Structure formats: structure tokens, C-alpha cells
């Protein structure tokens, strides 16, 4: 990708790319494993998805639209807040996520697949309600209540210890066996093996 200048100090770059996550055997960027799509973008995996500077000082805001078969991928997740979702032709559906806060590309995350979940909520010190949901393979959903309690306690600890309230409307965690790292603490969508 080459951008010929001169360029304005600020501009928006939109890319349209075609990739094949089913053939991605490096498990970096966007890949498919055991029927689930997942991203691993640290440290340089995002550039396997689209051209991007993979540096902590190169921050961007992301609006993501995920489309997939509704039967094989009923769960469509990304960072940020869920802005829209619905059905489209051919047994497919979509979800649109927007993260209002700039972040480096290595913290970008997408998960799509057939997962079970439990949900709850957390009310911040200022009274804002945050939707919490933890996903896993269907066989492991019974193990998630402990993780949910740990999440709520850690959110309270952040507020009590550092005065930091969580600033998104939703906090999702995915805990699955097919994630290639131990964990990736992407804001708004943590992914654990």
C-alpha cells in the first residue's frame, strides 16, 4: 500500500480486503480453527488482515461489521459497543461494533462462532450499567460463573484502587480451547485459552 502525498494532517483511510482465514495456518491475524473465527493481532497480526502500522503509537478507532452464516456462527463479537445487528439474505446475519476510543491495532479483536454464554451486569460507581457476557464452547458453560464473579470483583477493584470506571457499555470475554495464545486482553473483548 502506498499513499502518495501531500496528505492532510488528518484523514480517513478505508480499505477493502479479501482474506482466507480458513487457510491461515499461522494462527495470526484472522484465522479459523474448529469452526470458530478468531483474531490474534499481537504483535504484528493485524497486518495479515489489512494494511496498518502495527505500533503502540499508531492509534485508530474501529467500526467493524461482521457478517456470517447464522447457523454456524450465531455469535459475532468485536471490541467496543454493539451498534446494530440483524438478519440478511441467505440465512446470514450481521453485527456492527464501534469502539469510540483510539487503540493500537494489536488490540483489535473479532470472534465468530457457535458459543454458549452466561451474562450479568455491573453497575459502576457513577451508576452506569455495563452488560457483561462470558462465552465458551457449549460443554464448558458450567465453568463460567466463577469467571463472571472474578470479572465483577476486578471491575470493583479497579474503581476502588485506581478510581477507574470501565468506559464501554459491554464487556465480553471469550474462553475457548482454540485460541493460540494464553490470553489477549483486548479492551471490551478479552480472549483466553
Amino acid at each position: 500500500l502506498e499513499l502518495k502525498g501531500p496528505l492532510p494532517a488528518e484523514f480517513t483511510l478505508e480499505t477493502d480486503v479479501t482474506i482466507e482465514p480458513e487457510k491461515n495456518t499461522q494462527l495470526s491475524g484472522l484465522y479459523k480453527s474448529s469452526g470458530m473465527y478468531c483474531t490474534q493481532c499481537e504483535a504484528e497480526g493485524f497486518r495479515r488482515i489489512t494494511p496498518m502500522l502495527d505500533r503502540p503509537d499508531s492509534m485508530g478507532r474501529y467500526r467493524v461489521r461482521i457478517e456470517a452464516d447464522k447457523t454456524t456462527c450465531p455469535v459475532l463479537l468485536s471490541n467496543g459497543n454493539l451498534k446494530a445487528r440483524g438478519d440478511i439474505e441467505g440465512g446470514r446475519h450481521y453485527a456492527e461494533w464501534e469502539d469510540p476510543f483510539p487503540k493500537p491495532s494489536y488490540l483489535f479483536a473479532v470472534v465468530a462462532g457457535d458459543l454458549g454464554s452466561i451474562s450479568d451486569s455491573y453497575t459502576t460507581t457513577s451508576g452506569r450499567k455495563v452488560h457483561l457476557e462470558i462465552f465458551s464452547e457449549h460443554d464448558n458453560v458450567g465453568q463460567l460463573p466463577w469467571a463472571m464473579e472474578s470479572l465483577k470483583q476486578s471491575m470493583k477493584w479497579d474503581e476502588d484502587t485506581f478510581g477507574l470506571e470501565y468506559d464501554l457499555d459491554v464487556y465480553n470475554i471469550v474462553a475457548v480451547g482454540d485460541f493460540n495464545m494464553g490470553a489477549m486482553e483486548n479492551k471490551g473483548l478479552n480472549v483466553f485459552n
Side-chain angles (χ1 to χ4, degrees):
L1 176 67
E2 181 180 346
L3 301 176
K4 302 215 181 224
L7 298 172
E10 291 189 25
F11 63 95
T12 300
L13 172 66
E14 293 185 23
T15 60
D16 186 2
V17 298
T18 301
I19 56 176
E20 296 180 285
E22 298 84 358
K23 295 181 180 179
N24 180 352
T25 58
Q26 291 187 9
L27 304 182
S28 174
L30 177 63
Y31 64 91
K32 184 178 183 185
S33 181
S34 297
M36 183 181 74
Y37 294 89
C38 192
T39 56
Q40 172 53 41
C41 293
E42 188 180 26
E44 297 175 344
F46 193 81
R47 51 180 93 160
R48 294 179 57 82
I49 299 171
T50 192
M52 181 68 163
L53 297 173
D54 266 341
R55 297 190 324 245
D57 63 332
S58 179
M59 310 274 265
R61 288 183 182 88
Y62 297 85
R63 183 172 179 94
V64 178
R65 180 179 171 104
I66 308 166
E67 295 184 12
D69 179 82
K70 197 170 183 176
T71 303
T72 59
C73 292
V75 174
L76 305 174
L77 303 172
S78 188
N79 306 80
N81 295 320
L82 181 63
K83 292 299 190 180
R85 72 170 138 199
D87 294 330
I88 50 181
E89 294 178 11
R92 296 174 63 80
H93 67 139
Y94 73 94
E96 293 180 0
W97 296 85
E98 184 172 21
D99 190 344
F101 304 103
K103 65 176 176 270
S105 61
Y106 66 84
L107 293 178
F108 174 83
V110 166
V111 173
D114 186 8
L115 302 167
S117 70
I118 63 169
S119 63
D120 204 337
S121 65
Y122 178 80
T123 303
T124 66
T125 302
S126 67
R128 197 170 54 80
K129 192 172 180 178
V130 177
H131 176 79
L132 311 175
E133 196 157 1
I134 303 179
F135 298 83
S136 72
E137 293 96 347
H138 291 281
D139 293 345
N140 295 327
V141 170
Q143 298 176 29
L144 300 180
W146 180 84
M148 182 64 77
E149 188 57 34
S150 297
L151 173 59
K152 292 191 289 186
Q153 288 180 20
S154 68
M155 292 175 83
K156 180 166 179 15
W157 185 84
D158 278 346
E159 290 178 344
D160 293 346
T161 305
F162 300 110
L164 295 174
E165 283 191 13
Y166 186 70
D167 54 6
L168 293 171
D169 299 334
V170 62
Y171 194 128
N172 289 317
I173 295 176
V174 175
V176 292
D178 281 329
F179 185 60
N180 71 329
M181 301 284 281
M184 191 63 213
E185 295 79 16
N186 312 297
K187 182 179 177 186
L189 179 55
N190 295 169
V191 185
F192 294 91
N193 185 332

